[in-house]
Amino acid sequence: MTNRRKFVQNSLLLGLAAPLLPAAAQAALPAASAPKAGWKHWVWTNPDQKDTEAQLAERYRKYYEAGVRGIFFEADSERHFRAAKAQKLEAHRWIWTMNRGEKTLLAAHPEWYAVSRKGESCATHPPYVDYYRWLCPSREEVKQYLEQDYAAALKKDYIDGIHLDYVRFCDVILPVNLWAKYGIVQTSELPEYDFCYCPVCKAAYTAEYGEDIDKVQYPEASPSWRAFRYQRVNEVVRRLTAVARQYRKPITAAVFPTPDIAHRNVKQDWVNWNVSGVCPMIYHGFYKENVTWIGQAVKEGVQALNGKFPLYAGLFPPDFKNDAELAQGIENALRNGAAGVSLFGEVSEAALAALKTASAKARA
């Protein structure tokens, strides 16, 4: 999260056949359990090993009192997980999915990485920033690698569930607030940011649609090529969902703010997943919108899901001018159908107070 937080703060950017499982594992996924009354709020954070036991107990107690019911931890720290659970909070492991730049993986399997329409691999030519190293979702070896990685987390008794992030393709269109920083205008899909054109993806597309994508004049405008890529990521999610089922634990995901933006910007089709819940990153400042847009974005997502699973609005506190505006943003989300909100990063006592106030107002 250190790199991601630095990127967010500096540039305002956001984020074989399937194994046969025992019959019990084929049952419906557990819901991301909601309290009997009130909203369910979350916090995205990275555990700090300098925290003392007393600090953790006090922090997590205050979280619970404010209405937070779960934490997405980006690193695996048993001490932090158990401290959160001791204060009645769910402790979920937050793991990056398709964006994986581990040096050992890059060195061992550079062929696993996505290739742009320009013909450049993320293994050697990462787009935008150095840590943008996107795996190809069509490769069976990639899906198996991810299954094993998430299973290793799920089998631990102190981990209550898993949380997917970067479960998509690279941003072919960045939020408009970033265009000036990178000196680009993305009113169209530029070749160096359009993925994946590796041999495996091309062959799979030809087998499914009978077309050679290299012979399509404007591949970025092809509905079937677009749908094909949605399905590639959907299959990764399906496989990981099956792993979560096997361990009888919930699986949630950080996703782009609305179904339309997710489709257009990152080829992400989260409405058609079968997860326990989603946290759309409705970071209004990234899109040069005001807090009213938070409610609109939530409404779009809730209507598209039609009750399939809960939506928790992801909010970025630095986007808000003050705590009163944060409270307004939270209230806008809740009044438009969010089952709760998820706050990114450090959460101040003032932010917790805003969360508590907004929740009470929205319930009234």
Side-chain angles (χ1 to χ4, degrees):
M1 181 165 157
T2 301
N3 285 342
R4 183 183 184 203
R5 180 181 292 149
K6 184 176 180 181
F7 190 27
V8 169
Q9 290 178 341
N10 288 350
S11 64
L12 293 182
L13 183 66
L14 305 175
L16 305 166
L20 294 176
L21 299 174
Q26 298 290 348
L29 271 172
S33 55
K36 292 181 180 179
W39 316 101
K40 183 173 185 178
H41 302 307
W42 302 81
V43 172
W44 282 299
T45 192
N46 202 22
D48 186 343
Q49 295 305 323
K50 296 190 295 293
D51 291 329
T52 67
E53 299 301 325
Q55 287 173 327
L56 293 178
E58 181 181 14
R59 180 184 307 151
Y60 298 150
R61 176 183 59 78
K62 290 179 178 178
Y63 279 10
Y64 189 88
E65 288 175 352
V68 174
R69 294 295 179 265
I71 301 178
F72 300 124
F73 288 107
E74 194 173 13
D76 185 354
S77 170
E78 182 174 355
R79 186 167 66 92
H80 285 77
F81 279 68
R82 293 200 184 279
K85 290 163 71 68
Q87 298 300 324
K88 301 184 285 186
L89 298 172
E90 292 181 26
H92 292 225
R93 180 71 169 90
W94 164 19
I95 305 175
W96 293 15
T97 310
M98 302 311 302
N99 183 15
R100 303 293 291 257
E102 299 94 317
K103 290 182 180 179
T104 52
L105 187 61
L106 277 166
H109 296 290
E111 74 280 7
W112 287 8
Y113 286 82
V115 175
S116 71
R117 180 156 41 102
K118 190 177 178 181
E120 297 175 338
S121 170
C122 285
T124 54
H125 294 79
Y128 304 116
V129 288
D130 188 64
Y131 78 85
Y132 252 31
R133 309 279 183 160
W134 297 87
L135 295 171
C136 170
S138 293
R139 289 183 176 269
E140 178 57 30
E141 315 94 286
V142 167
K143 286 176 274 196
Q144 291 182 11
Y145 174 82
L146 294 172
E147 286 174 324
Q148 293 166 7
D149 190 41
Y150 282 90
L154 284 161
K155 70 182 181 182
K156 297 178 179 180
D157 71 306
Y158 57 87
I159 291 179
D160 293 319
I162 53 170
H163 185 64
L164 313 180
D165 195 7
Y166 290 102
V167 57
R168 55 182 178 85
F169 283 95
C170 173
D171 322 57
V172 69
I173 303 289
L174 286 175
V176 66
N177 215 30
L178 296 179
W179 294 3
K181 176 177 177 61
Y182 291 98
I184 53 178
V185 175
Q186 291 182 320
T187 53
S188 62
E189 297 187 4
L190 303 176
E192 57 266 47
Y193 308 115
D194 185 18
F195 293 87
C196 174
Y197 290 76
C198 78
V200 175
C201 281
K202 290 179 181 180
Y205 175 72
T206 299
E208 187 169 342
Y209 288 96
E211 295 280 352
D212 181 346
I213 196 61
D214 286 335
K215 294 181 179 178
V216 175
Q217 185 177 8
Y218 300 109
E220 69 274 25
S222 167
S224 61
W225 178 233
R226 183 176 296 273
F228 170 83
R229 288 178 289 176
Y230 297 161
Q231 293 158 5
R232 297 290 103 179
V233 174
N234 289 358
E235 176 62 11
V236 171
V237 175
R238 188 192 70 78
R239 294 275 288 263
L240 297 180
T241 298
V243 175
R245 281 192 178 128
Q246 189 174 16
Y247 289 90
R248 299 173 182 250
K249 292 182 178 181
I251 174 173
T252 55
V255 297
F256 266 52
T258 69
D260 175 64
I261 293 173
H263 283 147
R264 174 163 39 88
N265 288 24
V266 295
K267 308 294 188 295
Q268 185 185 64
D269 185 35
W270 53 263
V271 168
N272 287 308
W273 298 349
N274 188 27
V275 292
S276 307
V278 290
C279 299
M281 296 175 287
I282 308 175
Y283 299 171
H284 62 287
F286 290 23
Y287 299 90
K288 295 190 175 182
E289 297 284 354
N290 61 34
V291 294
T292 302
W293 180 71
I294 293 169
Q296 178 61 37
V298 167
K299 185 177 181 180
E300 288 179 32
V302 169
Q303 288 179 342
L305 288 172
N306 194 29
K308 190 175 183 180
F309 48 73
L311 181 153
Y312 307 99
L315 304 179
F316 186 56
D319 270 351
F320 297 89
K321 297 173 184 175
N322 49 53
D323 296 317
E325 190 175 69
L326 173 60
Q328 184 60 59
I330 295 169
E331 186 179 350
N332 288 350
L334 300 179
R335 288 193 182 278
N336 281 278
V341 302
S342 185
L343 302 178
F344 180 88
E346 302 299 328
V347 181
S348 66
E349 292 198 21
L352 290 176
L355 179 63
K356 195 170 183 178
T357 298
S359 299
K361 288 183 67 176
R363 189 182 297 118

